[in-house]
Amino acid sequence: MTSPFRRHFKTLIMMMKTYTLLLLLMTNTLYAQWTFDVLDSGQTQSQTSLIFPVIYNHGLCDFQFLILENGIYINVVINNTSGCNGLDHFVVIDDFYYSLPINFKFELNDDNWKVLDFVDMGTCVSLSEETILESEPYVSIGSTVLQIRDDEKINIYSHDNQTFFEFDSANGDIFCENGLPFVSPLDIIFIGAFE
Amino acid sequence: MKTLLFLMSFSGLVLGETRTYDFNQGSTFQINQVETTYTLESFPDFDLLTSFLGPCDQDECNVLPDTSFDLTYTVTGSDACTGLNGTVDWQTAHPAVDGEHSIPISSITEDTVFTLSCSDSISGQTNTRSVQINLDNSPQCSADIYPPNLTRLSSTYQFFNDGYDFGETTHTDVLINLATSEFITLSDFGLTELNFRRRIDFVSAPTNYNRISQATVSISECPGDFTETSICNYLVENFRSIRFSTNQADNPLLYCILEPGTNYYINFVLSPSPYTEPPSCDSENDFECAIFYTETSQ
């Protein structure tokens, strides 16, 4: 017959094991592979482990996430001071851009990037009439899910008080009804900077 | 809750500071799936004012007295541009909309520095550039200097060089079919690059044109100037070379020394002595013959 104390102790030990295992799994899964690099004019200033998710909050106009540096968790806040004045956020997919709503949140991960708000992009098609790919890695915008190219960089930047989240779809020619043709301001301003 | 706190302590996890970065124009937050990185990259403020040029498309130009000219600038990402030191009509607000703008200046009475400042109120960035405009007090150009009894033809150098400036390409031919009753002055001739050499090689014109006998070629600040006040003056025949240089150390006996960025006239007349001898062609029966040359790099 097991005493209530022993039962409680065994339960506690099991919970500890479970939490420890869960924590180790989370640790390995979430930040072991990804780093957060800070560069200034091309020179690396710091390189730390990145803990997902990265959340962009339009209401706060910032990115927030955790990094791990020398065993210490650090909150990171990236203030989008110049690109946050209302209806001035756009997601760019292939050659078209789409307005993002006020107070949207964007959850950025390792293989999925999700706009956590309603966005009416309209019906999407592949201009070459191929089936639209939706596997990981993908970007999810409202009810639209689009597989993105994993060999291209995703760029987020601001220009003239506007913020752009730029993706290349795996199809390469996605057009949704509410899209407008996009000409990157980086082609003019930052030529060479992102090469 | 107590268990979770205990476990965090057990695992050695420590919550630390908050680290803040600015994400201004010129920064990018980049996600690289191949390298599994999120990269925040900042660059120095880019230039709001990418160019500010005088009428010669340089930042230092000469202008004639009582002559209007334009100052031209290109601005991006600014919301206010102001003319600082310069003439009174310059010292005011100027367009700050993205793109190129030309501002007319009525004239200057002395050598003048014009300064333009453009700023972006959101980022607080300001960029300033200046141009130096010098008053050209050289003698005024006059038709009195033209070779007598001849008709002046005028055009630009680029018109005869397939649209290219002098020194820009070696893949064009210049062919000028000139009557013995005419001389021609081509404006916008010059070199922009410092310490740059160029040669032009005169050859006999294509067979469907008449050959010249002798011609005078001059480079001058005033059109039609074949006198000693011209910058250079050469007698050419069907085969002859003229060398140009913007290196002031080059021998002026071998090179026609040009000021980089200065616009000159290049003048042609079918006479070895334009003020004393009437023009002629190789054959005395021809009254029209062709000057023909190509540019060659030195």
Side-chain angles (χ1 to χ4, degrees):
Chain A
M1 176 120 183
T2 310
S3 70
F5 175 78
R6 280 180 66 89
R7 273 210 313 273
H8 185 72
F9 185 74
K10 281 180 74 175
T11 306
L12 187 63
I13 293 294
M14 281 182 66
M15 281 178 63
M16 281 177 64
K17 284 181 177 173
T18 306
Y19 278 125
T20 306
L21 184 62
L22 195 63
L23 208 58
L24 288 172
L25 281 172
M26 284 173 66
T27 303
N28 285 333
T29 306
L30 297 182
Y31 68 78
Q33 303 295 318
W34 285 74
T35 58
F36 171 57
D37 295 350
V38 178
L39 273 63
D40 186 359
S41 303
Q43 300 296 311
T44 301
Q45 303 297 306
S46 68
Q47 189 169 56
T48 50
S49 296
L50 172 62
I51 313 297
F52 289 116
V54 175
I55 300 288
Y56 181 78
N57 185 329
H58 186 204
L60 300 173
C61 293
D62 61 24
F63 299 87
Q64 291 195 25
F65 52 98
L66 286 174
I67 56 171
L68 183 60
E69 187 177 68
N70 300 323
I72 298 175
Y73 284 89
I74 297 170
N75 287 309
V76 173
V77 178
I78 303 175
N79 289 315
N80 185 15
T81 50
S82 66
C84 203
N85 288 312
L87 283 171
D88 46 18
H89 286 61
F90 306 94
V91 64
V92 181
I93 297 169
D94 299 335
D95 296 322
F96 300 93
Y97 71 94
Y98 308 86
S99 287
L100 292 170
I102 288 178
N103 291 330
F104 74 94
K105 288 183 183 175
F106 211 143
E107 183 183 303
L108 312 171
N109 285 295
D110 57 343
D111 59 4
N112 61 81
W113 294 269
K114 300 172 184 171
V115 175
L116 304 176
D117 208 331
F118 175 74
V119 181
D120 183 12
M121 298 176 72
T123 304
C124 300
V125 295
S126 157
L127 294 176
S128 58
E129 300 182 348
E130 298 290 324
T131 303
I132 294 180
L133 303 170
E134 298 182 343
S135 305
E136 291 181 336
Y138 64 82
V139 59
S140 157
I141 305 158
S143 58
T144 304
V145 175
L146 300 169
Q147 184 178 341
I148 65 162
R149 285 183 62 167
D150 56 11
D151 57 346
E152 287 291 327
K153 293 167 186 168
I154 300 165
N155 284 320
I156 304 168
Y157 55 90
S158 70
H159 180 71
D160 280 353
N161 308 325
Q162 297 177 323
T163 300
F164 300 91
F165 297 80
E166 210 172 281
F167 296 84
D168 290 317
S169 78
N171 286 88
D173 60 352
I174 296 296
F175 167 69
C176 306
E177 280 179 320
N178 296 331
L180 294 170
F182 178 67
V183 177
S184 172
L186 301 188
D187 292 342
I188 305 162
I189 304 305
F190 302 120
I191 189 162
F194 298 109
E195 289 176 354
Chain B
M1 187 64 176
K2 282 180 183 173
T3 306
L4 185 59
L5 285 173
F6 170 73
L7 283 169
M8 288 182 77
S9 175
F10 175 77
S11 305
L13 303 180
V14 181
L15 284 171
E17 63 188 293
T18 294
R19 196 168 289 172
T20 305
Y21 300 94
D22 281 327
F23 188 64
N24 291 324
Q25 185 157 301
S27 302
T28 179
F29 195 28
Q30 194 172 74
I31 302 159
N32 187 327
Q33 299 172 83
V34 175
E35 296 178 2
T36 61
T37 57
Y38 272 55
T39 305
L40 176 65
E41 187 160 13
S42 302
F43 293 92
D45 287 341
F46 68 92
D47 211 338
L48 302 172
L49 198 51
T50 49
S51 75
F52 182 33
L53 301 171
C56 62
D57 286 339
Q58 304 289 317
D59 58 10
E60 181 169 358
C61 299
N62 297 330
V63 297
L64 296 170
D66 303 318
T67 304
S68 64
F69 58 91
D70 286 349
L71 298 178
T72 304
Y73 62 93
T74 303
V75 64
T76 307
S78 169
D79 52 20
C81 289
T82 306
L84 302 178
N85 52 320
T87 53
V88 173
D89 54 353
W90 174 252
Q91 293 179 35
T92 183
H94 297 297
V97 177
D98 284 5
E100 184 179 289
H101 304 280
S102 288
I103 306 298
I105 303 296
S106 54
S107 64
I108 55 172
T109 54
E110 59 184 348
D111 293 353
T112 305
V113 174
F114 291 81
T115 302
L116 178 65
S117 177
C118 290
S119 59
D120 175 21
S121 62
I122 293 175
S123 66
Q125 183 183 342
T126 298
N127 290 113
T128 301
R129 284 176 183 254
S130 296
V131 296
Q132 169 87 44
I133 307 296
N134 298 319
L135 196 59
D136 185 355
N137 284 314
S138 58
Q140 294 297 292
C141 298
S142 161
D144 294 344
I145 209 164
Y146 293 169
N149 306 318
L150 299 180
T151 301
R152 177 188 170 189
L153 302 180
S154 59
S155 185
T156 63
Y157 187 81
Q158 292 73 19
F159 179 82
F160 282 93
N161 197 33
D162 294 346
Y164 292 98
D165 290 338
F166 180 54
E168 193 176 355
T169 179
T170 56
H171 300 295
T172 54
D173 299 319
V174 173
L175 191 149
I176 304 169
N177 203 24
L178 201 58
T180 53
S181 58
E182 300 165 338
F183 70 100
I184 189 166
T185 67
L186 304 182
S187 63
D188 298 329
F189 178 84
L191 295 168
T192 55
E193 197 175 328
L194 186 62
N195 298 333
F196 184 82
R197 288 175 177 170
R198 200 62 157 181
R199 195 178 79 214
I200 59 177
D201 295 326
F202 291 87
V203 293
S204 194
T207 52
N208 50 334
Y209 291 89
N210 299 322
R211 285 161 54 93
I212 65 168
S213 172
Q214 290 182 314
T216 299
V217 180
S218 74
I219 314 301
S220 60
E221 291 181 332
C222 286
D225 183 1
F226 294 92
T227 72
E228 291 177 354
T229 62
S230 61
I231 305 296
C232 307
N233 202 320
Y234 298 99
L235 174 65
V236 299
E237 299 171 343
N238 286 297
F239 296 95
R240 169 75 199 265
S241 294
I242 300 176
R243 291 176 169 80
F244 297 86
S245 172
T246 55
N247 184 345
Q248 302 301 313
D250 276 339
N251 187 344
L253 295 176
L254 300 176
Y255 293 92
C256 179
I257 308 294
L258 303 178
E259 283 283 343
T262 301
N263 278 331
Y264 299 97
Y265 289 90
I266 184 167
N267 312 287
F268 300 91
V269 62
L270 300 169
S271 165
S273 179
Y275 298 100
T276 60
E277 194 172 322
S280 62
C281 294
D282 193 38
S283 166
E284 60 182 18
N285 297 323
D286 294 332
F287 298 98
E288 190 177 77
C289 42
I291 293 165
F292 187 58
Y293 69 83
T294 57
E295 289 186 30
T296 306
S297 55
Q298 285 271 94

